[in-house]
Amino acid sequence: MLEILRPDGSLDGDSPISLAETRRLYAAMISARTYDHKGTALQKQGRLATYASFEGQEAAQVGAVASLQPDDWVVATYRDAAAMWMQGYPWVNLFLGRTGDERGGSPPEGVNVLPPSITVGAHMIHAVGIGWAERHQRSDRIAMTFFGDGATSEGDFHEAMNFAGVFQTPVVFVCQNNQYAISTPRHRQTASETIAQKADAYGIPGRQVDGNDLLAVRSASDEAVARARDGDGPTLIEAVTFRVGAHTTADDPGRYRDRAEEDEWRGRDPIDRVRRYLEGAGEWTAEWQLELEEEAAAEIEAAIAEAEALDPLEAADLFAGMFATPTVQLERQRTMLGGGSHG
Amino acid sequence: MLEILRPDGSLDGDSPISLAETRRLYAAMISARTYDHKGTALQKQGRLATYASFEGQEAAQVGAVASLQPDDWVVATYRDAAAMWMQGYPWVNLFLGRTGDERGGSPPEGVNVLPPSITVGAHMIHAVGIGWAERHQRSDRIAMTFFGDGATSEGDFHEAMNFAGVFQTPVVFVCQNNQYAISTPRHRQTASETIAQKADAYGIPGRQVDGNDLLAVRSASDEAVARARDGDGPTLIEAVTFRVGAHTTADDPGRYRDRAEEDEWRGRDPIDRVRRYLEGAGEWTAEWQLELEEEAAAEIEAAIAEAEALDPLEAADLFAGMFATPTVQLERQRTMLGGGSHG
Amino acid sequence: MAERNLAQALTLALDHILASDPGVLLLGEDVGVTGGVFRITDGLQDKHGADRVIDTPVAESGIVGAAFGMAVAGLRPIAEIQFLGFAYPAYDQMVSHVSRIRNRSRHRFTAPLVIRIPYGAGIGAAEHHSESTEAIFAHTPGLKVVIPSTPADAAGLLLTAAADPDPVIFLEPIRSYRRMRGEVPDPPKPVPFGEAAVRRVGSDLTLIAYGAMVPDVLDAAEHLAGAGIEAEVLDLRTLVPLDIDAVIGSVARTGRAAIIQEGHRTCGFAAELAATIQEEALYSLEAPVARVTGWDTVVPLRRAEHHYVPGVERIVAAAESVMAGS
Amino acid sequence: MAERNLAQALTLALDHILASDPGVLLLGEDVGVTGGVFRITDGLQDKHGADRVIDTPVAESGIVGAAFGMAVAGLRPIAEIQFLGFAYPAYDQMVSHVSRIRNRSRHRFTAPLVIRIPYGAGIGAAEHHSESTEAIFAHTPGLKVVIPSTPADAAGLLLTAAADPDPVIFLEPIRSYRRMRGEVPDPPKPVPFGEAAVRRVGSDLTLIAYGAMVPDVLDAAEHLAGAGIEAEVLDLRTLVPLDIDAVIGSVARTGRAAIIQEGHRTCGFAAELAATIQEEALYSLEAPVARVTGWDTVVPLRRAEHHYVPGVERIVAAAESVMAGS
Ligand SMILES: Cc1ncc(C[n+]2csc(CCOP(=O)(O)OP(=O)(O)O)c2C)c(N)n1
Ligand SMILES: Cc1ncc(C[n+]2csc(CCOP(=O)(O)OP(=O)(O)O)c2C)c(N)n1
Ligand SMILES: [Mg+2]
Ligand SMILES: [Mg+2]
């Protein structure tokens, strides 16, 4: 397992990035955590539907996406808001989706990030097709896809990895092994020792990294992104991390795991670790921290306000969303909305 | 790759079985090939629907099933008639199925062999469930499942292997890597170097053997069957072999491969190899060969006659086959058969 | 008799089923340790053992395929899929194998398994958590399709499903899990398949529904009664087998019918019912049979979900228009 | 104009589509080197390159999922599934992603792809090779469903499908591939979606069909003409969008209708049509709308297949019974 940044903030080897870049990513992780805490809080107030916290996984998401170019693709899940936002998907869209509004799925033009996949497993092959299409169109854009340890059990994971191997598509597979799929622990998910080793079944390189180590993640993803961009094919990265919170706001982790396990992982917090490192390098101050937190809070509040200011979709919008031009059937059904006749 | 019996009929190491047992399996392979040739011939005469030849794969099928107890389960495909027959599935049922008659799928009580799977991939997990059920019921029966190189690309292969690994079910996975899935060569099916190595992704032992070597197959399957029976979990065996004939009688291999490749593999015929070995050991004579061929021919002819003597199913039989007790809907539909009313 | 909600009724039934037949196994994602996302299997692993109430990897095709194998080999598995929107990866196993092994083997092998699936909208959940695609199962030969609407039926139909010699798709109405309570005998009383229940007697028109729509249809019927229209309300309980006689009998009496279904309109089960009614009772019909259905749209997310699910208002309006004979 | 069979018409259309739009890719099992199991893509890899006509591993979900990704990223993939019975492993991709990305992203991302699938019985093939489950696609919001019956339509509808901004399920009638020949313009002429074709004019009753059943329905109509019954024959060509006006218009004129469909009866497309007709034209109906369908059984194997597929005899009998108004 690749590790660079020790829990105490010291380095084991060279950092793949400058201190300035580290500060940028640290700031991003603070934003992400601010969003995340707000998401949980808003859900408790009934202002969001369910919410899926990614607390503890910020380094895996921020570190991996930091290796991308702005127009590369990200294809991720319900738990990957930090990754999506890093690639340009606005907080307002992420909140909007969580309120239960389809417009959350519509990021601005130029942001090549798909709306989060709610189904587990099916989206990885989309990244394969996307990377394939980019190469076919002689673009050097690549695709990065995020998924969990549980997702590796779905047949679609297998088909995606196998297609990527056979067609050598420019894709980076990032598995956030956060130790649980809802209540199911990693060792009940698969009998393989690591998830990284699954890559071998597809002739693809696999790399296990400490997912709570921003620098290790970044190092592995830099390498994988370069491989993909250079036409050398896909890579699987297993980022070993932990979901510190509940699966979603509808879940109670007390039913399936010990507090001790959570506490242990809280002690390995990916943000704290970078803070210690930056502090040691004279690049972190309490004032800066405060500044970051205030900026993040303001940004997040603004996004919430914007999302909540939007009136809900009308019934007619449902029909308008399905096709470029509604079918005869949909047109008829839309007319039923008005009167009660046969509708 | 495990090899024991050299193409020239000499041994590289010890045989896992006695000469008497080798003679028995040799005879079985002769029967299987007789059936296979007959199948191709009958299809040309229009007496069967399509037919899928397994010529060249007799050692893989006969050798693997020879390790089983008579009441173990076999879950196999359209190309595995030899394996099914070895485990008690009558030739008459196999022919019947090929004529296009559902009764082919009904082997005698006590024969724990499912009708052949026509869909590629879905059946392997059935073997996992079966083995699981047997263990749950404290029986020591195990399940063996056969599939091709192409089938390893389906998501269901992955889910089956993963379940087998997690639940340590008593199953032996036998992949006949016959180098093609219809027209697609093995190296375009997956970028992994071997199929055996895919087992590693599931914490399962994987073994590659020369599939045209009866003794190597038998040795690997003896070991895998013992593991399963002893509660030590599943094994994946990759039997490297070749489909000498067409994919089915509807296929023309000339479109996608060279005659030279076929000829090379014909030179590695699994039956010839055992004959040379037995001959060297003084256990084969031309008279015995004739005897075997005549017996096999008689047996096969009898099976064909029995299959063809059966009148086709009646329309009412269709309705009777669906449930233990037909639903209201089916009852109504059955009455439509008689008159034309609304049917 | 204790009052239970529909979720509790299911738990009770599963407990009895596990206790009375050692060949029954439950399997699915998170059904064991945590008792399922809706807590339907809560406490059952502790009581009946981890080898009988089994947490699986996240793999729906694997769950159904393994359950199929178990059933073929003599067990009586009850598989859970977390939401109907996650059943599609297992659809091939259901169509190609579960539904067919009996016919394929001319009764030599069978697959007596139950697949429990929460379905339907109305709780403002995320995408894929609100599906009502029962029609695709009804369209698949060889599957029985059961959809209870009350706590007692949920328990009773589940008992029948678990004892059935053929595969059963058992759809559980999510928004009814905790919507109402009702008396549920302990042990539950099996409810036979193929017998619709008359939930309300009426002579002016027949309202036909099942599952999550039934309570709304009953509310609508009360509403209509206020306007002097007496609706008969039929709860189908099982779509396959279907109690055609009850449907035709009622419509022949009332001469008017509306079918209320949450699923998408085109090729939904309401289409089947309307087609059957006009086939068998055309000359009794005084007005077209109305379909009140979900639309041919994706089920909207929380903020617009109410535009999709037929509510009391749409049901009442449709009934009134059927009464007006237009 | 050259006469071509339906298979050749499809090859011609694909060749033109590949030649005219560099963003079009074909992918599927055995579509490249060997030209597909039905030889529909024969010669296209040689002509257009192995990077545009692509042999894939045996993985239907992968094929559709990869095609989806390609479409999202600006290509126009045309995927082939070998037989409809092998499409179920890809059903989740179709329902959960292909059909939904436009709505999920409010038009920001779209998936203009075509999924070509041979369907139907009648050639005595093995199990799973004879499916007619078009209804499950018609029931899925966000998919267009196209089923040609003639060579010219096959080519013309495929052109339209390839240019459509939304995903299209394109079902090809296996037993019509080489059943008849017809004139097919070269280049083929696009045939618009949502316009039924009147294959035969008649005033006594309307026979409605699509795909592989159309030739049989026309034979039945000739038969009926011999007995003095003049049937109008409507070929729907596309199920989604559906030419409801053509259906209702014809039935309003004739007052009688039978729908002929090879798929299973319950919740088939014939149910949708019968439901719609009675909704919109009840007062024109002089007899119940009849459904002539495949049964709610697995499609039988070769020796008993003829008991399943509606043949001329059953169509004629149903039409006569509709004429008798019983
Ligand atoms: C196909 C499918 N099956 C089941 C679910 C329900 N579900 C949502 S998240 C989840 C667990 C996924 O675990 P993992 O992949 O490890 O991701 P994590 O939630 O831990 O980030 C499950 C089973 C789903 N969304 N999609
Ligand atoms: C799910 C599914 N997809 C496609 C097919 C069509 N098909 C039949 S055999 C075959 C190739 C299978 O290759 P392999 O697994 O190597 O077995 P082999 O035929 O070589 O024995 C294909 C694609 C099928 N039967 N089922
Ligand atoms: Mg996880
Ligand atoms: Mg093969």
Side-chain angles (χ1 to χ4, degrees):
Chain A
M1 183 154 75
L2 181 68
E3 286 169 309
I4 295 177
L5 183 56
R6 296 200 189 87
D8 67 2
S10 67
L11 288 185
D12 179 6
D14 289 336
S15 170
I17 53 175
S18 68
L19 280 168
E21 173 72 351
T22 311
R23 279 172 58 101
R24 184 179 79 90
L25 301 187
Y26 180 77
M29 293 197 292
I30 295 290
S31 285
R33 183 156 300 177
T34 306
Y35 166 84
D36 190 65
H37 284 181
K38 196 74 198 182
T40 302
L42 288 179
Q43 197 282 335
K44 288 208 176 107
Q45 297 164 25
R47 287 157 72 188
L48 303 184
T50 53
Y51 178 76
S53 166
F54 53 80
E55 183 169 359
Q57 304 180 208
E58 293 88 350
Q61 296 185 30
V62 167
V65 174
S67 303
L68 295 176
Q69 292 297 316
D71 59 350
D72 284 331
W73 288 84
V74 165
V75 183
T77 83
Y78 52 86
R79 201 183 300 290
D80 301 318
M84 294 170 65
W85 168 74
M86 272 292 285
Q87 194 63 358
Y89 206 96
W91 288 132
V92 56
N93 287 73
L94 288 159
F95 275 123
L96 208 46
R98 285 291 173 188
T99 64
D101 189 313
E102 284 76 2
R103 286 165 296 186
S106 182
E109 281 295 327
V111 174
N112 290 331
V113 180
L114 290 189
S117 180
I118 307 295
T119 65
V120 169
H123 67 291
M124 296 171 260
I125 185 80
H126 305 165
V128 174
I130 288 172
W132 194 339
E134 291 294 356
R135 189 187 53 194
H136 188 83
Q137 294 170 103
R138 305 247 179 301
S139 124
D140 75 344
R141 284 195 282 268
I142 70 154
M144 181 179 277
T145 180
F146 288 84
F147 51 97
D149 43 312
T152 67
S153 294
E154 291 279 3
D156 273 359
F157 164 76
H158 177 72
E159 300 193 13
M161 292 287 290
N162 195 47
F163 270 58
V166 168
F167 297 106
Q168 289 290 297
T169 55
V171 188
V172 179
F173 294 90
V174 182
C175 178
Q176 287 171 84
N177 169 5
N178 65 2
Q179 311 307 326
Y180 285 90
I182 307 187
S183 71
T184 304
R186 158 61 189 82
H187 70 274
R188 302 284 305 165
Q189 197 61 241
T190 176
S192 76
E193 218 174 298
T194 70
I195 284 173
Q197 80 195 50
K198 290 179 185 285
D200 194 43
Y202 313 101
I204 292 178
R207 194 78 188 266
Q208 194 185 48
V209 305
D210 180 342
N212 284 17
D213 173 347
L214 180 74
L215 303 183
V217 171
R218 175 65 185 266
S219 167
S221 65
D222 276 355
E223 203 181 298
V225 166
R227 276 177 55 79
R229 192 143 8 243
D230 294 349
D232 295 330
T235 306
L236 170 63
I237 296 172
E238 174 188 1
V240 179
T241 180
F242 193 78
R243 155 169 65 73
V244 165
H247 169 70
T248 66
T249 41
D251 174 53
D252 169 14
R255 287 181 160 253
Y256 54 83
R257 68 188 189 192
D258 289 342
R259 194 55 192 265
E261 191 186 7
E262 292 176 14
D263 289 345
E264 192 190 323
W265 279 93
R266 274 187 200 276
R268 297 184 208 153
D269 186 74
I271 300 183
D272 286 351
R273 207 185 284 199
V274 179
R275 182 177 43 67
R276 285 186 205 109
Y277 167 59
L278 287 175
E279 195 172 7
E283 293 279 344
W284 180 91
T285 63
E287 298 78 60
W288 183 53
Q289 179 75 23
L290 210 66
E291 218 174 274
L292 288 179
E293 286 173 7
E294 279 171 2
E295 272 171 27
E299 202 185 359
I300 298 294
E301 289 299 340
I304 296 165
E306 192 181 337
E308 292 191 336
L310 224 56
D311 286 332
L313 291 177
E314 302 282 343
D317 294 324
L318 310 185
F319 297 91
M322 295 305 300
F323 294 99
T325 312
T327 59
V328 184
Q329 284 100 321
L330 281 168
E331 286 292 5
R332 295 246 163 170
Q333 291 172 29
R334 199 160 52 85
T335 65
M336 292 176 193
L337 272 178
S341 156
H342 295 196
Chain B
M1 184 155 74
L2 181 68
E3 286 169 310
I4 295 179
L5 184 56
R6 297 200 189 88
D8 67 2
S10 66
L11 287 186
D12 178 6
D14 289 335
S15 170
I17 54 175
S18 68
L19 280 169
E21 173 71 352
T22 312
R23 279 172 57 102
R24 184 179 80 90
L25 300 186
Y26 180 77
M29 292 197 293
I30 296 289
S31 285
R33 183 156 299 176
T34 307
Y35 165 84
D36 190 65
H37 284 180
K38 197 73 197 183
T40 302
L42 288 179
Q43 198 281 336
K44 288 205 177 108
Q45 297 165 25
R47 286 157 71 188
L48 303 182
T50 53
Y51 179 77
S53 166
F54 53 81
E55 184 171 355
Q57 303 181 209
E58 294 87 352
Q61 296 185 29
V62 167
V65 174
S67 303
L68 295 175
Q69 291 298 316
D71 58 351
D72 284 332
W73 289 84
V74 166
V75 184
T77 84
Y78 52 86
R79 201 183 301 290
D80 301 318
M84 294 169 66
W85 168 75
M86 271 293 285
Q87 193 64 359
Y89 206 95
W91 289 132
V92 56
N93 286 73
L94 289 159
F95 274 123
L96 209 45
R98 285 291 174 189
T99 64
D101 189 314
E102 283 76 2
R103 286 165 296 186
S106 183
E109 281 295 329
V111 174
N112 290 330
V113 180
L114 291 190
S117 179
I118 307 294
T119 65
V120 169
H123 67 291
M124 298 170 260
I125 185 79
H126 305 164
V128 174
I130 288 171
W132 194 338
E134 291 294 356
R135 189 187 52 194
H136 188 82
Q137 294 170 103
R138 307 246 179 302
S139 123
D140 75 344
R141 283 195 283 267
I142 68 154
M144 181 179 276
T145 181
F146 289 84
F147 51 97
D149 43 312
T152 67
S153 294
E154 291 279 4
D156 274 357
F157 163 77
H158 177 71
E159 299 192 12
M161 292 286 290
N162 194 47
F163 270 57
V166 168
F167 298 106
Q168 290 290 298
T169 55
V171 188
V172 179
F173 293 90
V174 182
C175 178
Q176 287 171 85
N177 169 5
N178 65 1
Q179 310 307 326
Y180 285 90
I182 308 186
S183 70
T184 305
R186 157 64 188 83
H187 71 274
R188 301 284 305 165
Q189 196 62 241
T190 176
S192 78
E193 219 176 297
T194 70
I195 284 173
Q197 82 195 50
K198 291 179 185 284
D200 194 43
Y202 313 100
I204 293 178
R207 196 77 188 267
Q208 194 186 48
V209 305
D210 181 342
N212 285 17
D213 173 345
L214 179 73
L215 303 183
V217 172
R218 176 64 185 266
S219 167
S221 65
D222 276 355
E223 201 181 301
V225 166
R227 275 179 55 82
R229 190 140 10 240
D230 294 348
D232 296 329
T235 306
L236 169 64
I237 296 173
E238 174 188 4
V240 178
T241 180
F242 193 78
R243 156 168 64 73
V244 165
H247 170 71
T248 66
T249 41
D251 173 54
D252 170 15
R255 287 180 160 254
Y256 53 83
R257 69 188 189 192
D258 288 342
R259 192 56 191 265
E261 190 185 9
E262 292 176 16
D263 289 345
E264 191 190 323
W265 278 93
R266 274 186 200 278
R268 297 185 209 153
D269 187 73
I271 299 183
D272 285 352
R273 206 185 283 199
V274 178
R275 183 176 42 67
R276 286 186 204 107
Y277 166 60
L278 287 175
E279 196 173 5
E283 292 280 342
W284 180 92
T285 62
E287 298 77 62
W288 183 53
Q289 178 75 22
L290 211 66
E291 218 174 274
L292 288 178
E293 285 173 7
E294 278 170 2
E295 273 171 25
E299 203 184 357
I300 298 295
E301 290 299 340
I304 294 164
E306 193 181 336
E308 293 191 336
L310 225 56
D311 287 332
L313 290 176
E314 303 282 343
D317 294 324
L318 309 185
F319 297 91
M322 294 306 299
F323 294 100
T325 311
T327 58
V328 184
Q329 284 101 320
L330 281 168
E331 286 292 4
R332 295 245 163 172
Q333 292 173 30
R334 200 159 53 84
T335 66
M336 292 176 192
L337 272 177
S341 156
H342 295 196
Chain C
M1 240 184 316
E3 295 250 321
R4 287 185 166 82
N5 65 28
L6 198 148
Q8 292 163 334
L10 289 168
T11 309
L12 178 76
L14 288 171
D15 190 17
H16 276 284
I17 292 164
L18 281 160
S20 65
D21 182 349
V24 171
L25 253 60
L26 311 192
L27 71 165
E29 294 156 18
D30 309 293
V31 299
V33 172
T34 202
V37 290
F38 290 108
R39 306 286 180 251
I40 306 299
T41 52
D42 197 16
L44 299 179
Q45 185 180 72
D46 275 350
K47 189 159 169 192
H48 300 282
D51 62 330
R52 294 189 65 203
V53 181
I54 303 159
D55 282 320
T56 67
V58 185
E60 291 74 16
S61 188
I63 292 168
V64 172
F68 170 81
M70 290 172 169
V72 164
L75 295 180
R76 287 193 156 269
I78 301 179
E80 178 183 300
I81 301 291
Q82 244 165 31
F83 286 85
L84 182 49
F86 308 139
Y88 306 126
Y91 189 58
D92 179 53
Q93 287 288 349
M94 300 181 199
V95 175
S96 302
H97 298 283
V98 171
S99 71
R100 291 174 177 230
I101 186 66
R102 178 186 287 279
N103 181 63
R104 181 182 295 153
S105 71
R106 299 302 297 171
H107 306 277
R108 169 71 177 81
F109 299 104
T110 59
L113 76 154
V114 179
I115 306 176
R116 292 181 40 243
I117 320 179
Y119 89 96
I123 61 163
E127 201 190 338
H128 311 285
H129 290 70
S130 308
E131 309 281 295
S132 298
T133 44
E134 61 278 4
I136 67 170
F137 303 111
H139 188 60
T140 302
L143 299 178
K144 296 188 178 175
V145 182
V146 176
I147 314 186
S149 79
T150 69
D153 272 7
L157 289 166
L158 189 52
L159 249 59
T160 304
D164 198 274
D166 283 296
V168 177
I169 307 294
F170 192 91
L171 295 169
E172 303 174 358
I174 293 172
R175 72 174 177 279
S176 295
Y177 270 145
R178 295 173 171 85
R179 180 171 174 171
M180 73 295 225
R181 303 173 75 82
E183 300 205 333
V184 181
D186 180 0
K189 207 169 139 303
V191 172
F193 287 179
E195 294 189 11
V198 179
R199 296 294 179 204
R200 188 181 194 285
V201 177
S203 52
D204 294 333
L205 89 166
T206 306
L207 301 178
I208 307 169
Y210 49 88
M213 288 311 309
V214 172
D216 294 308
V217 171
L218 285 168
D219 286 352
E222 283 313 304
H223 220 90
L224 289 165
I229 301 171
E230 289 302 331
E232 180 139 307
V233 176
L234 269 192
D235 175 358
L236 295 179
R237 305 205 281 197
T238 63
L239 306 191
V240 183
L242 176 66
D243 192 347
I244 300 181
D245 287 342
V247 171
I248 300 302
S250 177
V251 178
R253 269 196 314 279
T254 60
R256 299 173 193 267
I259 306 153
I260 300 90
Q261 154 207 297
E262 183 174 333
H264 309 302
R265 188 174 186 85
T266 297
C267 292
F269 203 76
E272 177 60 31
L273 290 169
T276 302
I277 291 170
Q278 67 84 34
E279 271 158 16
E280 307 212 2
L282 183 76
Y283 302 114
S284 313
L285 284 181
E286 297 179 33
V289 179
R291 289 186 282 168
V292 189
T293 68
W295 312 115
D296 287 354
T297 66
V298 176
V299 184
L301 300 179
R302 192 172 70 142
R303 296 186 82 199
E305 195 182 27
H306 58 285
H307 294 307
Y308 177 89
V309 182
V312 170
E313 209 178 313
R314 279 178 61 206
I315 302 167
V316 168
E320 283 170 348
S321 116
V322 170
M323 289 311 297
S326 75
Chain D
M1 236 182 322
E3 293 251 319
R4 285 185 167 83
N5 66 30
L6 197 148
Q8 292 164 333
L10 290 168
T11 310
L12 178 74
L14 288 171
D15 190 18
H16 276 285
I17 293 164
L18 282 160
S20 65
D21 182 349
V24 172
L25 252 60
L26 311 191
L27 71 164
E29 294 156 18
D30 308 293
V31 299
V33 173
T34 201
V37 291
F38 290 108
R39 307 286 180 250
I40 306 299
T41 52
D42 198 18
L44 298 178
Q45 186 180 71
D46 276 349
K47 189 160 170 191
H48 300 281
D51 62 330
R52 295 190 62 204
V53 181
I54 303 158
D55 283 319
T56 67
V58 185
E60 291 74 17
S61 188
I63 293 167
V64 172
F68 171 81
M70 290 171 169
V72 164
L75 295 182
R76 287 193 155 271
I78 301 180
E80 178 183 301
I81 300 291
Q82 245 166 29
F83 286 85
L84 182 48
F86 308 139
Y88 306 126
Y91 189 58
D92 179 53
Q93 288 288 348
M94 299 181 198
V95 176
S96 302
H97 298 283
V98 170
S99 71
R100 290 174 177 232
I101 187 65
R102 178 186 288 279
N103 181 63
R104 180 182 297 153
S105 72
R106 299 303 297 171
H107 305 277
R108 168 70 177 82
F109 299 104
T110 59
L113 76 154
V114 179
I115 305 176
R116 291 181 40 242
I117 320 179
Y119 89 96
I123 62 162
E127 201 190 337
H128 311 285
H129 291 70
S130 309
E131 309 280 297
S132 298
T133 44
E134 62 277 3
I136 66 171
F137 303 111
H139 188 60
T140 302
L143 298 178
K144 296 188 177 176
V145 183
V146 176
I147 314 187
S149 79
T150 69
D153 272 7
L157 289 166
L158 190 53
L159 249 60
T160 304
D164 199 273
D166 284 296
V168 178
I169 307 294
F170 192 90
L171 295 168
E172 303 174 358
I174 294 172
R175 71 174 178 279
S176 295
Y177 270 144
R178 294 171 172 87
R179 181 172 174 172
M180 73 295 225
R181 303 172 75 81
E183 300 205 331
V184 180
D186 179 1
K189 206 168 139 305
V191 171
F193 287 180
E195 293 189 11
V198 180
R199 296 294 179 203
R200 189 182 193 283
V201 177
S203 53
D204 293 334
L205 89 165
T206 306
L207 301 178
I208 307 169
Y210 48 88
M213 288 311 310
V214 172
D216 295 308
V217 171
L218 286 169
D219 287 351
E222 285 312 306
H223 219 91
L224 290 164
I229 301 172
E230 289 301 330
E232 181 138 304
V233 177
L234 268 192
D235 175 358
L236 296 179
R237 306 204 280 197
T238 64
L239 306 191
V240 183
L242 176 65
D243 192 347
I244 300 181
D245 288 342
V247 170
I248 299 303
S250 177
V251 177
R253 270 196 314 278
T254 61
R256 299 173 194 268
I259 306 153
I260 300 89
Q261 154 206 295
E262 183 175 331
H264 309 301
R265 188 175 186 84
T266 297
C267 292
F269 202 76
E272 176 60 31
L273 291 169
T276 302
I277 292 170
Q278 67 84 33
E279 271 158 16
E280 307 212 3
L282 183 75
Y283 302 114
S284 313
L285 284 180
E286 298 181 32
V289 179
R291 288 186 283 169
V292 189
T293 69
W295 312 117
D296 288 353
T297 65
V298 176
V299 184
L301 300 179
R302 192 173 69 142
R303 297 185 82 199
E305 194 182 29
H306 58 286
H307 294 306
Y308 177 89
V309 183
V312 171
E313 209 178 313
R314 279 178 60 206
I315 302 168
V316 168
E320 284 169 347
S321 116
V322 170
M323 288 313 297
S326 76

